[in-house]
Amino acid sequence: MSNIVYVLNGPNLNLLGLREPEIYGTQTLDDIAGLLEDRAQELGLEIDMRQSNHEGHLIDWMHEAQGTGAKAVLLNAGAYTHTSVALHDAIKSIRTPVIEVHLSNPHTREAFRHTSYVGMAAKGSIAGFGANSYLLALEAAARL
Ligand code: DQA
């Protein structure tokens, strides 16, 4: 097993900072990558941060994480969280632990966000702490 933690981000997360800042905050995805890199170094880990608006890319990257022996995957699947049986199956198809991450707390929002196909398959979930959700998920990954 390697010390690499994949951090996979789904649709519309490339627009963080601009996108509904009252919900998602003003930090960009690059800002979050910087915070994660600093903390990862302290924890003796490396992060590989990626974003795609395409469901299949997220699936391919999870297969890749399994193939390369990654330590864990942190997955913020954005809206695919609530729709994607394919992502659910991909999580179940790999041995690499997957931690679900959300900036907001979907359970306090619209009803259509209350179902998580990702959460039903993930090792655990962290949501509602803004950018800190990613840092908390990294801490959890370090302790696996
Ligand atoms: C999100 C929550 C999802 O419901 C939403 O579709 C997103 C962002 C979050 O990080 O809070 O795109 O995953």
Side-chain angles (χ1 to χ4, degrees):
M1 202 218 309
S2 80
N3 65 345
I4 298 180
V5 175
Y6 280 52
V7 186
L8 304 183
N9 296 279
N12 303 306
L13 292 167
N14 53 313
L15 295 181
L16 275 187
L18 175 76
R19 174 190 182 199
E20 299 182 275
E22 63 289 355
I23 296 175
Y24 298 118
T26 52
Q27 281 166 306
T28 66
L29 206 55
D30 280 348
D31 293 336
I32 294 173
L35 295 171
L36 282 170
E37 267 155 25
D38 290 349
R39 187 65 188 125
Q41 209 171 13
E42 290 166 3
L43 293 167
L45 299 171
E46 268 180 59
I47 65 151
D48 188 333
M49 179 98 163
R50 304 182 192 183
Q51 188 276 332
S52 176
N53 294 321
H54 304 276
E55 191 176 11
H57 289 162
L58 298 169
I59 293 167
D60 289 344
W61 290 339
M62 283 199 279
H63 296 177
E64 184 189 306
Q66 161 70 40
T68 60
K71 182 170 174 61
V73 174
L74 313 188
L75 175 63
N76 184 350
Y80 290 139
T81 303
H82 317 298
T83 62
S84 179
V85 177
L87 275 175
H88 174 97
D89 285 351
I91 295 166
K92 291 238 174 181
S93 300
I94 62 174
R95 296 219 175 100
T96 316
V98 176
I99 301 175
E100 178 185 27
V101 180
H102 298 288
L103 296 142
S104 67
N105 180 354
H107 296 288
T108 63
R109 300 180 61 197
E110 303 95 325
F112 63 81
R113 296 185 205 276
H114 296 178
T115 298
S116 172
Y117 290 100
V118 168
M120 283 180 221
K123 176 95 180 150
S125 304
I126 298 178
F129 300 100
N132 280 328
S133 291
Y134 285 83
L135 290 169
L136 292 166
L138 187 66
E139 302 282 344
R143 286 164 174 71
L144 286 171

